mmCIF file of all heavy atoms in Angstrom:
data_model
loop_
_atom_site.group_PDB
_atom_site.id
_atom_site.type_symbol
_atom_site.label_atom_id
_atom_site.label_comp_id
_atom_site.label_asym_id
_atom_site.label_seq_id
_atom_site.Cartn_x
_atom_site.Cartn_y
_atom_site.Cartn_z
ATOM 1 N N MET A 125 -42.079 -145.322 -72.428
ATOM 2 C CA MET A 125 -42.703 -144.000 -72.717
ATOM 3 C C MET A 125 -43.109 -143.289 -71.430
ATOM 4 O O MET A 125 -43.092 -142.054 -71.361
ATOM 5 C CB MET A 125 -43.911 -144.180 -73.635
ATOM 6 C CG MET A 125 -43.493 -144.683 -75.006
ATOM 7 S SD MET A 125 -44.856 -144.823 -76.175
ATOM 8 C CE MET A 125 -45.078 -143.107 -76.685
ATOM 9 N N ALA A 132 -43.284 -133.692 -72.110
ATOM 10 C CA ALA A 132 -42.385 -133.966 -73.248
ATOM 11 C C ALA A 132 -43.142 -133.695 -74.547
ATOM 12 O O ALA A 132 -44.330 -134.037 -74.701
ATOM 13 C CB ALA A 132 -41.945 -135.430 -73.204
ATOM 14 N N PRO A 134 -44.498 -134.446 -78.011
ATOM 15 C CA PRO A 134 -44.796 -135.753 -78.603
ATOM 16 C C PRO A 134 -43.878 -136.122 -79.770
ATOM 17 O O PRO A 134 -43.666 -137.340 -80.023
ATOM 18 C CB PRO A 134 -46.257 -135.674 -79.024
ATOM 19 C CG PRO A 134 -46.672 -134.281 -78.885
ATOM 20 C CD PRO A 134 -45.696 -133.591 -77.978
ATOM 21 N N MET A 137 -40.911 -137.668 -78.236
ATOM 22 C CA MET A 137 -41.258 -139.009 -77.737
ATOM 23 C C MET A 137 -41.349 -139.999 -78.914
ATOM 24 O O MET A 137 -40.870 -141.132 -78.849
ATOM 25 C CB MET A 137 -42.597 -139.005 -77.006
ATOM 26 C CG MET A 137 -42.515 -138.307 -75.664
ATOM 27 S SD MET A 137 -44.076 -138.349 -74.774
ATOM 28 C CE MET A 137 -44.209 -140.067 -74.325
ATOM 29 N N LEU A 138 -41.966 -139.539 -79.999
ATOM 30 C CA LEU A 138 -42.143 -140.422 -81.142
ATOM 31 C C LEU A 138 -40.798 -140.843 -81.743
ATOM 32 O O LEU A 138 -40.568 -142.023 -81.990
ATOM 33 C CB LEU A 138 -42.997 -139.700 -82.227
ATOM 34 C CG LEU A 138 -43.342 -140.521 -83.472
ATOM 35 C CD1 LEU A 138 -44.460 -141.527 -83.149
ATOM 36 C CD2 LEU A 138 -43.795 -139.615 -84.611
ATOM 37 N N THR A 141 -38.944 -143.203 -79.396
ATOM 38 C CA THR A 141 -39.591 -144.496 -79.206
ATOM 39 C C THR A 141 -39.451 -145.347 -80.474
ATOM 40 O O THR A 141 -39.207 -146.550 -80.404
ATOM 41 C CB THR A 141 -41.079 -144.312 -78.825
ATOM 42 O OG1 THR A 141 -41.148 -143.428 -77.717
ATOM 43 C CG2 THR A 141 -41.732 -145.637 -78.452
ATOM 44 N N THR A 174 -50.154 -145.912 -82.829
ATOM 45 C CA THR A 174 -50.220 -146.283 -81.410
ATOM 46 C C THR A 174 -49.212 -145.467 -80.604
ATOM 47 O O THR A 174 -49.538 -144.904 -79.568
ATOM 48 C CB THR A 174 -49.913 -147.799 -81.261
ATOM 49 O OG1 THR A 174 -50.634 -148.518 -82.258
ATOM 50 C CG2 THR A 174 -50.257 -148.309 -79.886
ATOM 51 N N ILE A 175 -47.973 -145.406 -81.094
ATOM 52 C CA ILE A 175 -46.956 -144.650 -80.381
ATOM 53 C C ILE A 175 -47.316 -143.184 -80.326
ATOM 54 O O ILE A 175 -47.161 -142.481 -79.318
ATOM 55 C CB ILE A 175 -45.557 -144.870 -81.021
ATOM 56 C CG1 ILE A 175 -45.174 -146.329 -80.952
ATOM 57 C CG2 ILE A 175 -44.494 -144.010 -80.358
ATOM 58 C CD1 ILE A 175 -43.929 -146.688 -81.779
ATOM 59 N N ALA A 176 -47.831 -142.688 -81.485
ATOM 60 C CA ALA A 176 -48.229 -141.266 -81.580
ATOM 61 C C ALA A 176 -49.319 -140.950 -80.527
ATOM 62 O O ALA A 176 -49.208 -139.987 -79.771
ATOM 63 C CB ALA A 176 -48.716 -140.952 -82.976
ATOM 64 N N ALA A 177 -50.325 -141.815 -80.491
ATOM 65 C CA ALA A 177 -51.432 -141.577 -79.566
ATOM 66 C C ALA A 177 -50.978 -141.707 -78.115
ATOM 67 O O ALA A 177 -51.368 -140.939 -77.236
ATOM 68 C CB ALA A 177 -52.587 -142.530 -79.847
ATOM 69 N N PHE A 178 -50.100 -142.674 -77.835
ATOM 70 C CA PHE A 178 -49.569 -142.835 -76.480
ATOM 71 C C PHE A 178 -48.774 -141.592 -76.053
ATOM 72 O O PHE A 178 -48.811 -141.198 -74.891
ATOM 73 C CB PHE A 178 -48.701 -144.091 -76.370
ATOM 74 C CG PHE A 178 -49.475 -145.382 -76.233
ATOM 75 C CD1 PHE A 178 -50.765 -145.515 -76.697
ATOM 76 C CD2 PHE A 178 -48.878 -146.510 -75.666
ATOM 77 C CE1 PHE A 178 -51.482 -146.702 -76.573
ATOM 78 C CE2 PHE A 178 -49.586 -147.711 -75.539
ATOM 79 C CZ PHE A 178 -50.886 -147.805 -75.987
ATOM 80 N N SER A 179 -48.053 -140.985 -77.018
ATOM 81 C CA SER A 179 -47.287 -139.769 -76.690
ATOM 82 C C SER A 179 -48.266 -138.671 -76.242
ATOM 83 O O SER A 179 -47.993 -137.945 -75.277
ATOM 84 C CB SER A 179 -46.493 -139.269 -77.933
ATOM 85 O OG SER A 179 -45.726 -140.278 -78.428
ATOM 86 N N TYR A 180 -49.366 -138.565 -76.960
ATOM 87 C CA TYR A 180 -50.344 -137.552 -76.636
ATOM 88 C C TYR A 180 -50.965 -137.801 -75.259
ATOM 89 O O TYR A 180 -51.059 -136.921 -74.410
ATOM 90 C CB TYR A 180 -51.447 -137.551 -77.710
ATOM 91 C CG TYR A 180 -52.690 -136.768 -77.370
ATOM 92 C CD1 TYR A 180 -52.672 -135.360 -77.387
ATOM 93 C CD2 TYR A 180 -53.875 -137.428 -77.041
ATOM 94 C CE1 TYR A 180 -53.830 -134.644 -77.072
ATOM 95 C CE2 TYR A 180 -55.008 -136.699 -76.729
ATOM 96 C CZ TYR A 180 -54.992 -135.330 -76.724
ATOM 97 O OH TYR A 180 -56.130 -134.612 -76.419
ATOM 98 N N ARG A 181 -51.368 -139.068 -75.032
ATOM 99 C CA ARG A 181 -52.019 -139.398 -73.748
ATOM 100 C C ARG A 181 -51.042 -139.171 -72.586
ATOM 101 O O ARG A 181 -51.462 -138.756 -71.509
ATOM 102 C CB ARG A 181 -52.513 -140.845 -73.740
ATOM 103 C CG ARG A 181 -53.418 -141.250 -74.912
ATOM 104 C CD ARG A 181 -54.845 -140.867 -74.795
ATOM 105 N NE ARG A 181 -55.586 -141.437 -73.720
ATOM 106 C CZ ARG A 181 -56.933 -141.476 -73.670
ATOM 107 N NH1 ARG A 181 -57.638 -141.035 -74.686
ATOM 108 N NH2 ARG A 181 -57.544 -141.941 -72.631
ATOM 109 N N HIS A 182 -49.768 -139.461 -72.831
ATOM 110 C CA HIS A 182 -48.769 -139.244 -71.786
ATOM 111 C C HIS A 182 -48.733 -137.758 -71.411
ATOM 112 O O HIS A 182 -48.774 -137.387 -70.222
ATOM 113 C CB HIS A 182 -47.373 -139.685 -72.295
ATOM 114 C CG HIS A 182 -46.256 -139.363 -71.345
ATOM 115 N ND1 HIS A 182 -45.923 -140.187 -70.297
ATOM 116 C CD2 HIS A 182 -45.433 -138.312 -71.273
ATOM 117 C CE1 HIS A 182 -44.906 -139.653 -69.634
ATOM 118 N NE2 HIS A 182 -44.596 -138.515 -70.218
ATOM 119 N N ALA A 183 -48.692 -136.885 -72.445
ATOM 120 C CA ALA A 183 -48.600 -135.443 -72.191
ATOM 121 C C ALA A 183 -49.867 -134.930 -71.485
ATOM 122 O O ALA A 183 -49.829 -133.963 -70.730
ATOM 123 C CB ALA A 183 -48.366 -134.706 -73.493
ATOM 124 N N MET A 184 -50.986 -135.579 -71.765
ATOM 125 C CA MET A 184 -52.255 -135.150 -71.170
ATOM 126 C C MET A 184 -52.479 -135.775 -69.794
ATOM 127 O O MET A 184 -53.480 -135.458 -69.120
ATOM 128 C CB MET A 184 -53.456 -135.569 -72.061
ATOM 129 C CG MET A 184 -53.410 -134.999 -73.468
ATOM 130 S SD MET A 184 -53.461 -133.193 -73.512
ATOM 131 C CE MET A 184 -55.131 -132.904 -73.024
ATOM 132 N N TYR A 188 -53.333 -144.758 -71.306
ATOM 133 C CA TYR A 188 -53.203 -145.151 -72.715
ATOM 134 C C TYR A 188 -54.438 -145.978 -73.125
ATOM 135 O O TYR A 188 -55.005 -146.698 -72.333
ATOM 136 C CB TYR A 188 -51.955 -146.023 -72.915
ATOM 137 C CG TYR A 188 -50.658 -145.358 -72.474
ATOM 138 C CD1 TYR A 188 -49.799 -145.961 -71.567
ATOM 139 C CD2 TYR A 188 -50.301 -144.094 -72.979
ATOM 140 C CE1 TYR A 188 -48.612 -145.353 -71.167
ATOM 141 C CE2 TYR A 188 -49.116 -143.477 -72.577
ATOM 142 C CZ TYR A 188 -48.269 -144.114 -71.684
ATOM 143 O OH TYR A 188 -47.137 -143.519 -71.285
ATOM 144 N N MET A 379 -49.142 -131.880 -81.601
ATOM 145 C CA MET A 379 -49.424 -133.166 -82.264
ATOM 146 C C MET A 379 -49.462 -133.077 -83.781
ATOM 147 O O MET A 379 -49.474 -134.103 -84.480
ATOM 148 C CB MET A 379 -50.773 -133.702 -81.765
ATOM 149 C CG MET A 379 -50.723 -134.455 -80.473
ATOM 150 S SD MET A 379 -49.608 -135.883 -80.464
ATOM 151 C CE MET A 379 -50.546 -137.069 -81.418
#
Side-chain angles (χ1 to χ4, degrees):
M125 294 183 79
M137 288 182 71
L138 183 76
T141 309
T174 314
I175 299 171
F178 280 24
S179 306
Y180 168 74
R181 306 279 298 199
H182 174 85
M184 301 299 288
Y188 303 126
M379 277 302 285

